Amino acid sequence: MIPDSEVRLTQMTKTAGCAAKIGPGTLAGILDSLPKFQDPALMVGIETSDDGAIYRVNDEVALIQTLDFFTPVVDDPYVFGQVAAANALSDIYAMGGEPKIALNIVAWPNCVNPEILGRILQGGASKVLEAGAVLAGGHSIQDDEPKYGLSVTGFVHPDKVFKNSGAKPGDVLILTKPLGTGIINTAVKADMASEEAKEEVVRVMTTLNKKAKQIIEHYDVHGCTDVTGFGLAGHGAEMAEGSNVTLEISAKDLPVQKEAFSLAQMGLIPEGAYKNRYYTENKVDYGETEEYFRDIFCDPQTSGGLLVSVSPEDAKRIAEDFKAASMETDWAVIGRVVEREEKLVKLR
């Protein structure tokens, strides 16, 4: 068994967090081969690449089901558990719901002290508790690389579902967390990130999207998704395609974590960013933006923020509410929605 003092979770994996996702292009090809399931109660399935599935129970209640797990993005077991749980819970918030039941998903090497796994589970449980949900079991397997996450069930009123396919021309786009977690985590793994950058990326990844969701649900949300492994480029393109619109995004207005720009310029780019770049190359018009902006735009986020499409009037009110609520992470108005053009997303 590996001595506890020598265990560095991030060194036990090839890729970290949501950067470990299968590339969106590969995944799309696999999903296209699956049979098409039909059920009149299924409100949201896989067709629009939304954040979870929604099944209408009755006229007052719809069930949201999601699942998410990944490899360690930090070495601290407790913090890794918090990050993975916050990331999984985010899908429920991104669809306008409240999480209610969570199940652990665990893969663990036999050569590592199980007490470390216990700390991971404690970290995850702390975020489930913060979300107001119940942790009710789970499943584990032996694996050479550690992995952890949650399957989460939530509830939402059928008339108050957030979808990623309802953005309208004239809408304003809001992003509720700063970009750069993939780049920062790559630097952390290479021992090239400052303590300040490490602290910021942990704060961003462990912050629930609960407060943001509870604010925006009071307004007419036309489109919403959380920005995770496919980056802002990939998830933005999914929203644009599902809504049959184009998203115009201002590079200078993007909220970005400290040091992400300088680290991107040094070439500390996660593999997932290149996969996202390749997948979206025919969907995104980058204009004259610098290369490092493009890398950040494609950077796979772990436990990222919500991308929200609302009217200009509601955007102003939401901004006021965000300021009054003292949000834990940076947020920004990043662009607007226009009529469908040749490209799904334009970065300027």
Side-chain angles (χ1 to χ4, degrees), residues 76-93:
D76 186 300
Y78 187 85
V79 174
F80 169 46
Q82 288 187 310
V83 172
N87 183 75
L89 291 160
S90 180
D91 286 343
I92 303 295
Y93 296 128

Side-chain angles (χ1 to χ4, degrees), residues 249-262:
I249 295 177
S250 170
K252 66 179 180 59
D253 291 326
L254 292 176
V256 178
Q257 294 173 55
K258 296 180 180 66
E259 296 186 25
F261 279 134
S262 60

Side-chain angles (χ1 to χ4, degrees), residues 276-305:
N276 293 339
R277 182 82 166 267
Y278 177 78
Y279 176 67
T280 60
E281 64 180 354
N282 295 323
K283 302 180 180 185
V284 178
D285 176 2
Y286 291 98
E288 300 299 321
T289 54
E290 297 285 348
E291 191 69 19
Y292 59 87
F293 267 117
R294 304 181 188 194
D295 289 332
I296 287 171
F297 198 57
C298 293
D299 186 39
Q301 303 306 288
T302 298
S303 188

Side-chain angles (χ1 to χ4, degrees), residues 15-261:
T15 53
C18 285
K21 278 189 173 183
I22 295 173
T26 302
L27 188 60
I30 295 170
L31 295 178
D32 285 343
S33 67
L34 296 180
K36 307 302 180 185
F37 292 88
Q38 302 294 327
D39 188 314
L42 185 64
M43 298 176 63
V44 179
I46 65 174
E47 293 75 21
T48 57
S49 302
D50 224 313
D51 299 295
I54 300 186
Y55 193 89
R56 183 191 295 269
V57 178
N58 53 45
D59 290 342
E60 300 295 323
V61 178
L63 179 149
I64 308 174
Q65 188 66 51
T66 188
L67 182 154
D68 214 316
F69 69 105
F70 48 59
T71 51
V73 291
V74 293
D75 289 318
D76 186 300
Y78 187 85
V79 174
F80 169 46
Q82 288 187 310
V83 172
N87 183 75
L89 291 160
S90 180
D91 286 343
I92 303 295
Y93 296 128
M95 304 200 79
E98 286 292 322
K100 293 300 179 183
I101 301 174
L103 302 174
N104 286 320
I105 305 163
V106 173
W108 193 250
N110 289 335
C111 62
V112 180
N113 190 340
E115 291 183 4
I116 295 176
L117 172 59
R119 290 291 290 160
I120 293 173
L121 298 182
Q122 289 170 6
S126 74
K127 286 298 168 180
V128 174
L129 187 64
E130 183 182 338
V134 175
L135 188 60
H139 183 70
S140 63
I141 62 169
Q142 188 278 327
D143 193 357
D144 292 338
E145 290 192 357
K147 303 174 183 71
Y148 171 66
L150 299 173
S151 173
V152 188
T153 301
F155 295 105
V156 64
H157 192 286
D159 296 335
K160 297 181 179 179
V161 172
F162 298 166
K163 297 181 181 180
N164 72 348
S165 56
K168 301 178 180 179
D171 278 358
V172 170
L173 298 169
I174 300 172
L175 182 62
T176 68
K177 283 187 182 182
L179 303 173
T181 61
I183 292 168
I184 300 296
N185 287 328
T186 299
V188 170
K189 192 169 183 177
D191 289 324
M192 296 180 67
S194 70
E195 288 303 315
E196 183 181 11
K198 292 178 184 178
E199 291 173 3
E200 182 182 23
V201 76
V202 166
R203 184 176 69 256
V204 169
M205 293 189 298
T206 57
T207 297
L208 294 178
N209 281 319
K210 180 178 181 178
K211 184 183 289 187
K213 177 263 176 183
Q214 290 178 338
I215 289 174
I216 66 175
E217 69 181 350
H218 294 291
Y219 299 92
D220 184 12
V221 176
H222 297 157
C224 183
T225 187
D226 62 342
V227 178
T228 54
F230 298 155
L232 183 54
H235 291 290
E238 287 177 345
M239 177 182 282
E241 187 165 22
S243 306
N244 195 31
V245 297
T246 289
L247 308 187
E248 287 189 350
I249 295 177
S250 170
K252 66 179 180 59
D253 291 326
L254 292 176
V256 178
Q257 294 173 55
K258 296 180 180 66
E259 296 186 25
F261 279 134

